[in-house]
């Protein structure tokens, strides 16, 4: 199975700052089928990005995704208070679909 | 609007079975599939399998194959997941999520999720 490793585990930032989250795959997901999710405590994951770089419906343009092959990035341009949460990358190109261990973005 | 509403929390004894439902609304059920995932406390989500809303085709993660059964009732737009031979490490929040089973960049994306169902395995 494809193993996804996210870095860093925790990102301590202030509102208004930018965030860069990384996701490295043990092998290349088919067709760059990589998604990013945001999860707040007690809630279901929320789709942000799919196909490595396409924003999901209703997602603000401060969220952007990039990458290909085995290295993928989620960038949040200016953190809003509601953006402090855990973020997961997921690959859905090769079965079994797998998730990274998550990056927690916390308030500094 | 698209909604997936799951059944309430369940408690099951080791070796028993549990069945969780996921009722869909706001879209044509048979045009999409439903995937099932679970998340243990403090852990990443784990994909369990999916079922086509169109023809009932299924695919499972090897880890749970043989213990998970996925079904649908198209008359009520409801998907079901049954987990048998419960073990303590099956304790988790179980989620259903919608995906479009087509081709191209938008296919197989988990775009809408249910609210989650806590399954607790305890004697």
């Amino acid at each position: 199975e494809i193993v996804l490793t996210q870095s860093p585990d925790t990102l301590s930032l202030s509102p208004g700052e930018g965030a860069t989250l990384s996701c490295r795959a043990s092998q290349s997901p088919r067709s760059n089928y990589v998604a990013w999710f945001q999860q707040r405590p007690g809630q279901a994951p929320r789709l942000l990005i799919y196909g490595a770089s396409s924003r999901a419906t209703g997602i603000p343009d401060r969220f952007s995704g990039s990458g290909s092959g085995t290295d993928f990035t989620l960038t949040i341009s200016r953190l809003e208070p509601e953006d402090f949460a855990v973020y997961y990358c997921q690959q859905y190109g090769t079965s079994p679909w797998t998730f990274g261990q998550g990056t927690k973005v916390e308030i500094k | 609007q698209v909604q997936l509403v799951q059944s309430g929390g369940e408690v099951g004894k080791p070796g028993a079975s549990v069945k969780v439902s996921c009722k869909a609304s706001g879209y044509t059920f048979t045009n999409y599939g439903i995937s099932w995932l679970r998340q243990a406390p403090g852990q990443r989500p784990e994909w369990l399998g999916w079922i086509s809303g169109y023809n009932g085709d299924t695919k499972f993660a090897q880890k749970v194959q043989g213990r998970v059964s996925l079904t649908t009732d198209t008359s009520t737009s409801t998907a079901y997941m049954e987990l048998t031979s419960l073990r303590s490490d099956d304790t988790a929040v179980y989620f259903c999520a919608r995906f479009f089973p087509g081709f191209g960049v938008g296919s197989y994306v988990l775009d809408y999720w249910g609210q989650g169902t806590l399954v607790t395995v305890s004697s």
Side-chain angles (χ1 to χ4, degrees):
Chain A
E1 75 178 44
I2 295 179
V3 176
L4 300 180
T5 303
Q6 295 184 237
S7 62
D9 288 332
T10 304
L11 210 45
S12 299
L13 296 167
S14 301
E17 290 191 291
T20 300
L21 287 67
S22 296
C23 176
R24 175 161 288 177
S26 60
Q27 48 186 293
S28 181
R30 181 177 65 89
S31 302
N32 288 331
Y33 279 3
V34 169
W36 289 91
F37 294 88
Q38 176 193 71
Q39 189 174 33
R40 299 183 180 121
Q43 295 186 13
R46 172 194 178 202
L47 177 68
L48 301 174
I49 301 289
Y50 64 94
S53 60
S54 298
R55 239 184 330 270
T57 303
I59 300 303
D61 61 7
R62 65 179 181 274
F63 291 92
S64 63
S66 62
S68 63
T70 59
D71 290 296
F72 300 88
T73 300
L74 175 71
T75 302
I76 311 171
S77 59
R78 296 171 311 279
L79 284 163
E80 298 288 339
E82 63 268 26
D83 299 337
F84 291 91
V86 178
Y87 293 82
Y88 294 99
C89 59
Q90 180 231 354
Q91 69 81 22
Y92 55 99
T94 303
S95 184
W97 300 349
T98 50
F99 287 78
Q101 85 279 14
T103 291
K104 182 179 181 180
V105 178
E106 64 176 22
I107 298 177
K108 187 173 182 181
Chain B
Q1 72 283 21
V2 174
Q3 279 194 301
L4 299 175
V5 178
Q6 299 182 224
S7 50
E10 299 273 359
V11 179
K13 295 185 187 304
S17 300
V18 67
K19 193 170 187 177
V20 178
S21 68
C22 170
K23 184 169 176 58
S25 61
Y27 70 97
T28 301
F29 184 77
T30 51
N31 286 350
Y32 289 80
I34 293 290
S35 188
W36 289 89
L37 307 96
R38 68 183 179 184
Q39 189 172 29
Q43 301 300 308
R44 72 189 77 186
E46 176 186 19
W47 174 73
L48 301 177
W50 57 250
I51 183 167
S52 165
Y54 173 67
N55 59 12
D57 281 354
T58 54
K59 192 170 183 71
F60 297 99
Q62 194 169 10
K63 182 178 180 182
V64 294
Q65 189 150 21
R67 290 204 301 132
V68 169
S69 172
L70 301 182
T71 56
T72 61
D73 180 346
T74 56
S75 69
T76 60
S77 299
T78 303
Y80 298 91
M81 184 225 44
E82 183 172 24
L83 182 62
T84 62
S85 303
L86 288 172
R87 311 189 295 234
S88 57
D89 63 353
D90 290 323
T91 294
V93 176
Y94 286 72
F95 294 100
C96 61
R98 186 188 82 158
F99 69 93
F100 180 70
F103 297 92
V105 73
S107 59
Y108 294 93
V109 176
L110 301 173
D111 59 355
Y112 288 91
W113 293 57
Q115 83 277 17
T117 297
L118 176 60
V119 172
T120 304
V121 181
S122 173
S123 55

